[in-house]
């Protein structure tokens, strides 16, 4: 279990000033949890990962691993391994020697090292490639070697720094499933850093959405998607319509967040809100309608069953079930 | 051949021509002249003259006795061996010093790196002869070191720092060290810092990182540096002459002497040819080994 309390990190920048990459983050990651740090670039998620790995020292706060404070320990003294975004495979070592590296450094007996390298390579489905050099592998295969190398020493926590960002879409989907499987198989806690909300939703047990060095919201994927606490989270987690209160005849201080797939058009329900269809995009399964409300706000509706009955310029009424909207005060 | 093909071919020729010309003028022609001279007879005041002969090469291994018969004489072989020994020692020390220096520079901020690299290349701006002379001022009996040591009362008589193998070695290391530092720096600079983080992450300590990650990746640079140091060190004559006092000959001094005081150009050319061929053979063996190491 990782317990992070009041963790902060500032970096000196030119001009003698400090920039706060991480501000007062507190969270707990369970023993075999798939935990995701999600946020745009510069939100502090990678800094948090590097602090857990030990590549950076915190400016303030504590990191406890199974009750032991590790904040002052160098990376080689932490039972935590990292899968790097660039994979960082040792170019001069074969696949098997890459995977064996952590075990050799821990002076694991040779016979056991060999067995564990074999098992781990089999686990990531690279059984036959042990003798290859990293440069001879495809991106997806290199990714698996990086995983095997980090898993072989059986760490308490596996850190993954945007591990799938260099792969193409198809491979990425495949590796998402692979990662889920590996996590379930090994029972090791995975901490994934990503800016891809879909990836986060698909894989995580829990997600911490981060922005400006702070955790904006922490919860299960469903919780965060359905119940965003802030404008930022609503906007970042998938598409959201953010409608100013006055457009709907409500408190102007409020912003109403509604997912496009929950917005219904026309129909019999009475609604005072009307909009003009500004564009229609046919996407096969869905059709996306962009509407302009009377006050000028754009609202998007994503419908599956409307057919061809609506046309450009039509004025339609909009409505959604009350449980589909969130009132945000920011 | 299509017109396009002709254009392509002639433009390729034009592009290759400068390289061919430079290699031809600066490498092939001088080496050819040297090789040709080694098979000619020495002129009375230097230079060479007809007829062609193998005398220069025979002289390498044999003395001509009073009656004209040839007697095997290993003295030149010893000179060559001693030269190789000193060049090797220079290379090893340059490597031992150059590697940590290059690594230290790589670890600095970009601004400091530029400054330190400039300092490494700074000696190139001063003539090697002058720089080697300066070592005499530092090492001689009345020199900087001995004066300081005696002034401090640490030694009574001046230490014999000059005119020995140590002084030669020091002068050579001083002269050739930049040739080791720069290629190693070039390789180390390109190491992805994540590799080092990955090694630490996988429980390596500092020594493991140096031995298991940095050194293997630095090896091509170290090999290039070793070549750049060893080859000129083997033919060097400034440091041996000035700092070694010319008491024991090295091959560089020997060759230089043949073209000056000894006026035996063919012998000098033969010696130079042998050294060149020996170095080329070493390179060829190395290239072959590197070729075999490739998968």
């Amino acid at each position: 279990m990782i317990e992070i309390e009041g963790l902060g990190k500032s970096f000196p920048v030119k001009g003698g000033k400090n920039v706060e990459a991480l501000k007062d983050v507190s969270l707990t990651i369970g023993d075999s949890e798939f935990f995701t740090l999600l946020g745009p670039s510069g939100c502090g998620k990678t800094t948090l990962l590097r602090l857990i790995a030990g590549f950076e020292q915190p400016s303030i706060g504590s990191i406890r691993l199974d009750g032991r404070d590790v904040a002052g320990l160098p990376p080689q003294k932490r039972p935590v391994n990292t899968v790097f975004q660039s994979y960082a495979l040792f170019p001069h070592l074969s696949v098997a020697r890459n995977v064996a590296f952590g075990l050799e450094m821990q002076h694991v007996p040779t016979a056991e090292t060999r067995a564990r390298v074999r098992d781990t390579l089999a686990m990531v489905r690279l059984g036959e490639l042990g003798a290859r050099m990293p440069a001879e592998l495809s991106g997806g295969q290199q990714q698996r070697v990086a995983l095997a190398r980090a898993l072989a020493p059986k760490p308490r926590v596996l850190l993954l720094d945007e591990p799938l960002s260099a792969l193409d879409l198809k491979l990425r989907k495949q590796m998402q499933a692979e990662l889920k499987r590996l996590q379930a198989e090994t029972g090791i806690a995975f901490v994934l850093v990503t800016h891809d909300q879909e990836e986060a939703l698909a894989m995580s047990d829990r997600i911490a959405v981060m922005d400006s060095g702070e955790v904006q919201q922490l919860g299960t994927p469903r919780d965060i998607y359905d119940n965003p606490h802030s404008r930022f989270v609503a906007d970042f987690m998938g598409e959201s319509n953010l409608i100013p209160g006055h457009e709907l005849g409500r408190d102007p201080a409020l912003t109403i967040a509604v997912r496009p797939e929950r917005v219904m058009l026309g129909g019999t329900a009475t609604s005072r809100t009307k909009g003009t269809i500004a564009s229609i995009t046919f996407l096969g399964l869905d059709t996306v309608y962009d509407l302009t409300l009377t006050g000028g706000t754009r609202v998007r509706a994503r419908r599956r069953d409307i057919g061809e009955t609506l046309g450009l310029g039509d004025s339609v009424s909009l409505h959604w079930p009350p449980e589909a909207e969130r009132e945000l005060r920011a | 051949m299509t017109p396009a093909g002709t254009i392509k071919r002639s433009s390729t020729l034009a592009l290759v021509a400068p390289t061919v010309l430079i290699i031809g003028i600066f490498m092939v022609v001088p080496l050819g002249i040297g090789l040709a001279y080694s098979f000619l007879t020495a002129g009375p005041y230097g230079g060479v003259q007809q007829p062609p002969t193998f005398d220069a090469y025979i002289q390498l291994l044999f003395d001509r006795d009073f009656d004209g018969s040839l007697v095997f004489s290993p003295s030149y072989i010893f000179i060559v061996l001693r030269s190789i020994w000193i060049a090797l020692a220079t290379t090893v020390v340059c490597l031992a010093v150059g590697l940590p220096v290059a690594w230290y520079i790589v670890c600095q901020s970009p601004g400091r790196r530029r400054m330190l690299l400039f300092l490494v290349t700074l000696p190139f701006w001063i003539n090697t002869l002058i720089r080697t002379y300066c070592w005499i001022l530092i090492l001689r009996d009345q020199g900087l070191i001995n004066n300081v040591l005696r002034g401090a009362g640490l030694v009574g008589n001046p230490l014999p720092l000059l005119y020995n193998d140590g002084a030669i070695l020091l002068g050579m290391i001083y002269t050739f060290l930049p040739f080791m530092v720069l290629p190693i720096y070039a390789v180390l600079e390109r190491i992805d810092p994540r590799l080092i983080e990955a090694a630490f992450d996988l429980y390596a300590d500092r020594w493991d990182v140096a031995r298991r990650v940095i050194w293997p990746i630095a090896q091509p640079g170290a090999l290039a540096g070793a070549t750049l140091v060893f080859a000129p060190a083997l033919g060097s004559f400034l440091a041996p002459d000035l700092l070694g006092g010319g008491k024991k000959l090295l091959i560089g001094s020997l060759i230089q002497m043949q073209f000056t005081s000894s006026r035996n150009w063919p012998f000098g050319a033969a010696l130079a040819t042998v050294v060149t061929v020996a170095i080329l053979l070493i390179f060829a063996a190395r290239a072959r080994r590197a070729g075999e190491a490739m998968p």
Side-chain angles (χ1 to χ4, degrees):
Chain A
M1 187 164 71
I2 309 176
E3 294 156 286
I4 289 166
E5 246 182 70
L7 199 64
K9 174 73 182 172
S10 11
F11 293 100
V13 288
K14 268 191 185 157
K17 284 184 194 162
N18 279 329
V19 59
E20 271 191 295
L22 207 65
K23 303 170 202 162
D24 192 26
V25 167
S26 299
L27 49 85
T28 303
I29 299 170
D31 260 337
S32 51
E33 192 174 17
F34 201 123
F35 193 92
T36 298
L37 301 170
L38 173 68
S41 59
C43 72
K45 58 191 191 300
T46 298
T47 303
L48 179 51
L49 197 79
R50 290 175 62 80
L51 284 167
I52 300 174
F55 300 136
E56 312 278 356
Q57 300 297 312
S59 309
I60 192 168
S62 72
I63 305 171
R64 280 196 303 281
L65 189 64
D66 298 329
R68 188 168 61 118
D69 192 347
V70 296
L73 293 181
Q76 64 267 37
K77 299 253 167 72
R78 301 186 190 197
V80 172
N81 289 145
T82 308
V83 175
F84 292 85
Q85 185 171 13
S86 57
Y87 313 143
L89 299 177
F90 302 121
H92 56 290
L93 297 180
S94 69
V95 166
R97 295 293 306 280
N98 262 284
V99 177
F101 193 91
L103 301 170
E104 285 170 10
M105 292 299 112
Q106 287 180 310
H107 306 292
V108 173
T110 316
E112 196 191 331
T113 298
R114 209 171 298 147
R116 260 159 78 177
V117 167
R118 195 187 51 226
D119 294 348
T120 318
L121 280 176
M123 196 161 70
V124 299
R125 301 174 202 226
L126 281 180
E128 305 82 47
L129 298 184
R132 295 268 192 95
M133 298 306 279
E136 301 172 274
L137 302 180
S138 71
Q141 288 169 329
Q142 290 184 15
Q143 162 78 73
R144 285 160 192 268
V145 178
L147 266 168
R149 184 178 70 175
L151 283 170
K154 301 193 175 156
R156 297 284 296 128
V157 183
L158 187 77
L159 306 176
L160 303 116
D161 185 8
E162 308 239 6
L164 310 180
S165 59
L167 304 178
D168 61 52
L169 184 67
K170 198 175 158 201
L171 209 51
R172 198 150 69 221
K173 295 280 177 222
Q174 201 182 323
M175 280 310 289
Q176 284 179 8
E178 270 308 75
L179 281 176
K180 276 299 275 183
R181 176 182 66 82
L182 284 172
Q183 199 264 328
E185 233 169 79
T186 57
I188 294 171
F190 278 29
V191 180
L192 173 80
V193 157
T194 183
H195 61 264
D196 182 338
Q197 47 95 12
E198 231 175 281
E199 191 170 295
L201 291 174
M203 300 168 77
S204 320
D205 293 322
R206 281 192 307 154
I207 300 172
V209 185
M210 295 184 66
D211 186 41
S212 336
E214 290 170 304
V215 174
Q216 301 291 330
Q217 194 171 347
L218 200 156
T220 63
R222 177 159 292 282
D223 182 33
I224 286 183
Y225 189 82
D226 288 345
N227 202 4
H229 290 173
S230 69
R231 228 188 138 92
F232 173 80
V233 176
D235 203 29
F236 194 75
M237 295 305 296
E239 244 179 323
S240 237
N241 292 305
L242 297 170
I243 308 166
H246 67 83
E247 282 275 25
L248 306 170
R250 290 152 72 171
D251 181 354
L254 284 177
T255 299
I256 311 299
V258 194
R259 300 275 177 206
E261 65 268 24
R262 306 301 296 271
V263 176
M264 291 184 280
L265 302 176
T268 51
T270 48
S271 167
R272 284 185 295 158
T273 314
K274 288 218 183 293
T276 314
I277 297 181
S279 82
I280 303 175
T281 314
F282 178 63
L283 294 177
L285 196 57
D286 294 337
T287 305
V288 168
Y289 298 86
D290 284 314
L291 300 105
T292 313
L293 302 189
T294 40
T297 307
R298 282 283 182 127
V299 174
R300 175 165 285 192
R302 197 179 177 106
R303 303 305 313 161
R304 189 155 293 182
D305 46 16
I306 256 180
E308 295 268 304
T309 54
L310 293 172
L312 277 180
D314 286 359
S315 179
V316 290
S317 66
L318 296 82
H319 54 98
W320 48 81
E323 76 275 8
E325 68 168 43
R326 292 290 168 273
E327 295 184 342
L328 306 172
R329 289 196 181 271
Chain B
M1 178 171 293
T2 61
T6 319
I7 290 167
K8 208 173 173 189
R9 168 156 292 195
S10 60
S11 69
T12 307
L13 267 177
L15 286 172
V16 172
T19 314
V20 172
L21 274 177
I22 286 172
I23 291 179
I25 293 173
F26 292 108
M27 307 253 330
V28 178
V29 170
L31 281 175
I33 292 174
L35 189 65
Y37 277 18
S38 71
F39 291 106
L40 290 174
T41 306
Y45 305 106
V48 287
Q49 60 191 39
Q50 297 295 336
T53 163
F54 287 107
D55 267 4
Y57 291 94
I58 293 168
Q59 204 185 337
L60 277 173
L61 296 175
F62 300 97
D63 275 346
R64 205 171 281 278
D65 227 337
F66 299 116
D67 55 1
S69 63
L70 294 172
V71 181
F72 177 70
S73 155
S75 55
Y76 291 128
I77 295 178
F78 283 138
I79 291 175
V80 170
L81 288 179
R82 219 170 78 83
S83 305
I84 291 175
W85 162 242
I86 291 199
L88 267 181
T90 304
T91 310
V92 169
V93 176
C94 279
L95 185 62
V97 177
L99 195 65
V101 167
W103 180 246
Y104 175 80
I105 298 175
V106 168
C107 292
Q108 304 306 307
S109 67
R112 267 181 72 94
R113 269 194 225 180
R114 269 196 297 279
M115 215 264 287
L116 290 169
L117 278 181
F118 173 69
L119 287 179
V120 167
T121 55
L122 194 61
F124 291 147
W125 295 88
I126 304 161
N127 184 289
T128 317
L129 182 66
I130 294 168
R131 283 188 285 135
T132 309
Y133 258 117
C134 289
W135 277 108
I136 298 181
L137 299 181
I138 296 170
L139 296 175
R140 65 180 176 176
D141 287 359
Q142 303 296 323
L144 187 66
I145 294 176
N146 273 317
N147 279 347
V148 168
L149 287 178
R150 279 198 296 177
L154 290 170
V155 294
N157 294 319
L159 297 175
L161 298 174
L162 198 56
Y163 305 130
N164 52 43
D165 282 3
I168 297 177
L169 207 55
L170 183 67
M172 299 242 251
I173 292 162
Y174 166 75
T175 309
F176 298 121
L177 188 58
F179 296 109
M180 184 66 85
V181 172
L182 295 176
I184 296 181
Y185 171 84
V187 178
L188 292 181
E189 194 207 11
R190 288 200 305 265
I191 291 187
D192 179 0
R194 306 269 176 226
L195 287 182
I196 292 164
E197 284 185 349
F200 279 125
D201 189 58
L202 292 160
Y203 315 108
D205 57 32
R206 285 161 174 277
W207 168 242
D208 292 324
V209 171
R211 199 167 55 96
R212 303 284 299 267
V213 180
I214 297 172
W215 169 242
I217 297 176
Q219 255 179 19
L223 220 53
T227 308
L228 289 176
V229 170
F230 181 78
L234 190 57
S236 162
F237 59 88
L238 270 180
D241 276 6
L242 295 178
L243 305 177
K247 278 187 290 188
K248 288 191 231 163
L249 277 176
L250 289 184
I251 188 98
S253 313
L254 186 62
I255 294 171
Q256 184 245 7
M257 270 167 57
Q258 302 313 313
F259 287 93
T260 54
S261 50
S262 298
R263 289 183 195 153
N264 191 347
W265 287 23
F267 186 50
L271 282 167
T273 303
V274 168
V275 170
T276 308
V277 168
I279 290 178
L280 285 178
L281 283 177
I282 294 172
F283 288 175
R286 213 194 78 192
R288 196 150 154 203
R289 249 185 52 196
E292 276 168 9
M294 288 301 221

